[in-house]
Amino acid sequence: MTENNNPLSVEEKENIMTSLLHKEGCWVDWGKACQRLQQGGINSQEIFEGTGLQTSQQNLVIVGAQVYDSLVKGEAQEDLLSYYQGPRSDVLYELRILNHQERLSAAILAKEKQLDVDGAKEIAKAIKHFSHLSQPPTGFTLHPGDAVAYQHWKNARQKKTLADKARLIAEGLKFAHSETARKQIEHLLTEAATSTSTQNAPLLPIYRFESDEQLPYILPVAGTLPLTSSDLENIPIFEKIEPYGILKINKEIDIVSIPSWQVILKAKHPVVIFCQSEDLPKQTTTKSEQLLVVIDLDVKEWNISNYCLVEENGKLKLNWFQSNPDCQILGQLLLILRPKKILDEDNLTQPWQMDD
């Protein structure tokens, strides 16, 4: 709600509303009228309904009128004031971030260069930044034109290509006021034109693992069924050295790498056994293929929700039991992995090709 610091009479309110409705005077008058209504307790929505001026337009002309008043107080020339009485509230609005003295000099510069709202925003930011420097940079003066030229000069120095440098240098020369500032910018142009193009070193091919599953997990291989319980003896537990999972293998043993799925990471003593699909206790396919089976040898307790590795008639088998079996449980089944399906493995090493 708008604070009622200076209440209006009904007659005064209607007169101002009517004036705004008919767009009497110039935009400066509209801004002062909107501000008077708001100070009188009239909110922006009511002003919009009575005059057709949207809230954003009200804010634009109010702030623009305040900047205009600062030009008047700064004893701006009549031709400058007349220039901004035209439809240029948006240009003065961009100068709101400057102090009164900077507003006047920026307004003069914007008029000289016939800048639109984007140009006004650019010079206002450049002048504001320049004012924060402890002293003017070498070759540049306190003139607002030099302030804008310095910003273009600074940006041009950071560009790599001659085309980008040349574009910013041209903008800097457009605004440069002093001869010394012009020489600074021209010197930068000379440097850019005469410097030999050097080949930058290529980017380093740096990658980062984004998830645990992208990390390979190395597992020891006990062998391929048929096996016996003695084949499970002396299966090592690998200890990884972080952060890259380096393994020290002290004995000859076959190993295999699979993704670091969560079920594998939780296992305390995982080992791989290879078998055929018909060796499974429950047939899932009619096709015979070799499967990779991961067993956790640390889990030797029965669980109705899991398959177990047991030894029957001297041979290792996977089985499921409705109750705690009489035979010894040698480990728990963690997962069964089928081989990848790739129609043409050579395609993996060739660049992608797409039909036109």
Side-chain angles (χ1 to χ4, degrees):
M1 179 179 292
T2 304
E3 185 177 352
N4 189 348
N5 294 324
N6 192 1
L8 293 169
S9 65
V10 175
E11 181 180 1
E12 188 177 3
K13 172 187 172 183
E14 291 179 355
N15 289 338
I16 296 176
M17 285 284 202
T18 302
S19 176
L20 284 173
L21 179 62
H22 295 121
K23 302 299 184 290
E24 297 175 358
C26 69
W27 68 265
V28 178
D29 301 313
W30 309 342
K32 293 180 179 179
C34 288
Q35 186 174 20
R36 180 71 184 92
L37 289 172
Q38 290 186 7
Q39 290 174 343
I42 313 302
N43 62 45
S44 57
Q45 180 61 30
E46 186 176 351
I47 296 174
F48 166 66
E49 293 171 356
T51 67
L53 283 174
Q54 297 181 356
T55 301
S56 59
Q57 293 174 310
Q58 296 172 38
N59 182 59
L60 180 68
V61 294
I62 288 174
V63 176
Q66 292 171 349
V67 175
Y68 180 90
D69 280 345
S70 67
L71 302 184
V72 175
K73 294 177 182 178
E75 300 180 353
Q77 298 293 325
E78 282 299 326
D79 63 330
L80 182 67
L81 297 176
S82 298
Y83 174 79
Y84 283 107
Q85 286 174 7
R88 294 183 178 87
S89 58
D90 54 348
V91 174
L92 288 187
Y93 177 86
E94 297 299 337
L95 307 186
R96 69 193 184 280
I97 64 175
L98 305 175
N99 61 39
H100 286 199
Q101 183 179 355
E102 292 169 343
R103 288 176 181 177
L104 178 57
S105 59
I108 294 173
L109 180 63
K111 177 178 178 294
E112 288 178 355
K113 305 301 181 183
Q114 296 292 297
L115 300 180
D116 59 10
V117 59
D118 293 329
K121 184 175 184 178
E122 183 178 319
I123 68 168
K125 289 173 63 177
I127 293 173
K128 190 70 174 179
H129 173 77
F130 198 81
S131 68
H132 291 162
L133 301 177
S134 58
Q135 61 182 14
T138 303
F140 296 90
T141 69
L142 293 173
H143 190 277
D146 277 11
V148 179
Y150 168 74
Q151 193 62 42
H152 287 301
W153 174 82
K154 178 183 176 183
N155 292 339
R157 293 182 62 193
Q158 298 172 353
K159 296 298 181 181
K160 300 297 183 183
T161 66
L162 181 59
D164 289 337
K165 285 181 179 288
R167 178 179 57 81
L168 291 169
I169 287 172
E171 285 294 312
L173 291 173
K174 172 183 173 182
F175 287 97
H177 174 75
S178 67
E179 187 62 29
T180 53
R182 181 172 293 275
K183 287 182 178 180
Q184 283 284 88
I185 298 174
E186 290 174 345
H187 179 67
L188 183 60
L189 178 61
T190 303
E191 286 184 344
T194 57
S195 63
T196 56
S197 177
T198 57
Q199 177 65 41
N200 292 330
L203 294 176
L204 293 170
I206 297 176
Y207 294 81
R208 181 188 294 276
F209 289 116
E210 298 295 338
S211 68
D212 287 340
E213 289 188 5
Q214 292 181 338
L215 293 168
Y217 200 100
I218 307 299
L219 295 173
V221 177
T224 303
L225 293 183
L227 298 172
T228 66
S229 59
S230 61
D231 294 314
L232 301 180
E233 297 176 0
N234 301 319
I235 297 293
I237 299 176
F238 293 150
E239 294 184 5
K240 296 189 297 181
I241 302 175
E242 300 298 345
Y244 295 103
I246 298 174
L247 298 180
K248 290 186 176 181
I249 302 176
N250 298 322
K251 58 185 296 186
E252 291 187 4
I253 187 171
D254 292 336
I255 57 174
V256 66
S257 173
I258 66 173
S260 295
W261 290 311
Q262 194 67 29
V263 64
I264 301 297
L265 295 176
K266 290 181 178 179
K268 293 183 178 180
H269 193 179
V271 63
V272 167
I273 293 175
F274 289 102
C275 70
Q276 296 299 124
S277 54
E278 54 266 27
D279 293 326
L280 298 179
K282 181 178 180 182
Q283 297 302 310
T284 59
T285 178
T286 57
K287 177 183 177 182
S288 178
E289 60 181 349
Q290 188 181 48
L291 303 175
L292 183 153
V293 178
V294 182
I295 304 293
D296 188 357
L297 299 182
D298 186 69
V299 181
K300 300 181 183 297
E301 295 182 0
W302 169 79
N303 187 315
I304 195 171
S305 300
N306 297 107
Y307 286 87
C308 302
L309 181 69
V310 296
E311 187 175 31
E312 295 181 1
N313 300 323
K315 294 183 179 181
L316 297 183
K317 290 184 61 177
L318 291 170
N319 212 337
W320 174 79
F321 303 96
Q322 283 189 332
S323 60
N324 198 349
D326 296 332
C327 59
Q328 181 184 5
I329 295 176
L330 303 176
Q332 176 184 299
L333 173 64
L334 297 183
L335 64 85
I336 300 171
L337 186 63
R338 286 175 169 171
K340 60 180 180 290
K341 279 188 176 182
I342 297 180
L343 298 179
D344 186 356
E345 294 192 7
D346 289 339
N347 286 340
L348 292 179
T349 61
Q350 300 299 323
W352 285 8
Q353 296 181 355
M354 300 183 68
D355 294 335
D356 294 333

